[in-house]
Amino acid sequence: MNYDGNIIRPPSEADSIILQVTVGCSHNRCTFCGAYKDKRFRIRTDEEIAENIAFAARYCIRQHKVFLADGDALILSHKQLVPLFSRIRKELPQVRRISLYGNAKAIRSKSLEELRELKSLGLDRIYMGLESGDDTILRQIHKGETADSMISAGRKVAEAGIFLSVTVLLGLGGLVLSRQHAVATGRVLTEMAPRQIAALTLMPMSGTPLGDAVKNGSFQLPDAVAMLKELREMLTSINCDKVQFMANHASNYLPISGRLGRDKDAILATIDRALSGGIALTPEAYRAL
Ligand code: SF4
């Protein structure tokens, strides 16, 4: 497979064929994100995509899922996505599920009918970065969205019958806005009602505006205990049913996962045990992005 630069994919796409249809992220302005800083956004050419599908048809016949990289493949126009999905179905008949990262702007650019058509062509899952449900924080991190625009984008995905997985980032409000971040994010997640929630923990990257702010002291990162309290507050504020909640990414201090609301009390009890010292937290040296 021919990739342009490093490829980033959700942990649950480890077994997927990773087909890179865009390079970088069309937004690329979030202050905490260094994922695509070295990449100038572009849509890969038909020849590049065709070459990689041909490679997958030959060497990836046991893989049943495709993940379209990079940052926001859904930003491709509907006119580009329909033939791409049709081609995947035709040339990779073993593939049963296609997923991609889609930001709120890309979701907004599609009508409900277009999303439903993509669903009928195999689009099974959209991974969307909410990061925070608080408007002040969304503004500070240059997300280019508001809580309301995130909610309407998320609901549209659900209405189209597509599995919505939403990522949030603990620590993004710093110590000062920690509680505000937790409560607002819990509320927005409740209104979005995704099928899956992934809570990661902020690890400031050098070379990003937020990384620089941590270094010069203008942004105070919550410590491990404060992050855990923030996670507890966020969970308490989420009122969803039949949602997979995961905070077991390598960046997290306490790996937890479960189904909301069924396992909510058990998860909160686990966090309380960790807060009282009964469960060891992941040492700083073992955390990773
Ligand atoms: S967080 Fe997502 S939308 Fe923001 S710059 Fe990174 S890849 Fe792009």
Side-chain angles (χ1 to χ4, degrees):
M1 198 74 81
N2 172 356
Y3 294 128
D4 186 337
N6 291 332
I7 295 293
I8 296 166
R9 52 137 183 92
S12 46
E13 299 295 331
D15 300 331
S16 302
I17 300 166
I18 310 294
L19 193 62
Q20 188 186 28
V21 296
T22 60
V23 176
C25 163
S26 66
H27 181 60
N28 215 10
R29 291 185 61 230
C30 300
T31 59
F32 62 90
C33 176
Y36 303 109
K37 286 282 178 261
D38 58 337
K39 288 182 175 181
R40 194 189 182 92
F41 178 76
R42 74 178 176 94
I43 295 169
R44 298 196 89 185
T45 63
D46 283 349
E47 292 71 31
E48 287 175 301
I49 294 172
E51 189 187 313
N52 285 330
I53 292 179
F55 178 94
R58 189 153 181 200
Y59 297 107
C60 308
I61 49 173
R62 291 188 200 287
Q63 288 165 270
H64 303 290
K65 296 186 293 178
V66 163
F67 177 75
L68 300 179
D70 271 342
D72 57 349
L74 194 65
I75 203 74
L76 263 68
S77 71
H78 194 62
K79 276 189 183 150
Q80 291 168 308
L81 286 169
V82 169
L84 172 65
F85 276 59
S86 302
R87 183 172 208 160
I88 292 171
R89 280 163 72 92
K90 185 166 170 241
E91 297 185 33
L92 305 173
Q94 81 280 14
V95 168
R96 291 195 281 269
R97 196 183 101 184
I98 301 171
S99 45
L100 42 67
Y101 286 126
N103 59 30
K105 182 180 165 196
I107 295 165
R108 208 164 33 242
S109 75
K110 307 283 177 289
S111 69
L112 186 57
E113 291 66 37
E114 287 172 340
L115 286 175
R116 284 184 174 142
E117 186 179 2
L118 295 177
K119 161 86 181 165
S120 74
L121 292 171
L123 179 57
D124 176 76
R125 184 175 294 212
I126 295 179
Y127 296 92
M128 179 184 172
L130 165 65
E131 327 305 355
S132 175
D134 182 76
D135 280 336
T136 304
I137 296 169
L138 287 171
R139 220 172 16 252
Q140 283 175 352
I141 63 167
H142 296 172
K143 190 71 187 171
E145 299 294 337
T146 63
D148 283 349
S149 68
M150 294 285 201
I151 292 168
S152 65
R155 283 186 175 165
K156 198 178 189 182
V157 172
E159 207 179 333
I162 299 169
F163 186 105
L164 176 65
S165 176
V166 175
T167 302
V168 298
L169 202 43
L170 298 167
L172 208 47
L175 207 47
V176 179
L177 299 182
S178 177
R179 186 162 187 281
Q180 190 173 320
H181 173 47
V183 173
T185 305
R187 178 190 73 81
V188 171
L189 286 168
T190 303
E191 294 202 38
M192 290 171 92
R195 303 273 297 279
Q196 188 176 68
I197 298 168
L200 277 60
T201 301
L202 179 62
M203 296 186 73
M205 292 180 73
S206 64
T208 61
L210 191 60
D212 293 345
V214 171
K215 213 179 276 178
N216 70 28
S218 58
F219 183 94
Q220 247 186 307
L221 196 64
D223 63 14
V225 169
M227 290 282 195
L228 221 50
K229 286 182 178 166
E230 186 176 298
L231 173 63
R232 192 188 196 291
E233 187 80 54
M234 193 180 288
L235 256 169
T236 306
S237 307
I238 300 173
N239 193 6
C240 292
D241 219 15
K242 297 185 182 139
V243 185
Q244 186 64 28
F245 184 87
M246 303 182 304
N248 51 5
H249 183 263
S251 63
N252 293 112
Y253 286 103
L254 178 69
I256 51 174
S257 73
R259 196 142 180 89
L260 302 181
R262 190 191 65 191
D263 303 331
K264 187 170 176 177
D265 289 345
I267 297 173
L268 289 173
T270 303
I271 295 174
D272 288 341
R273 268 208 313 285
L275 283 170
S276 60
I279 304 174
L281 301 184
T282 304
E284 213 55 63
Y286 287 94
R287 294 177 63 221
L289 281 174

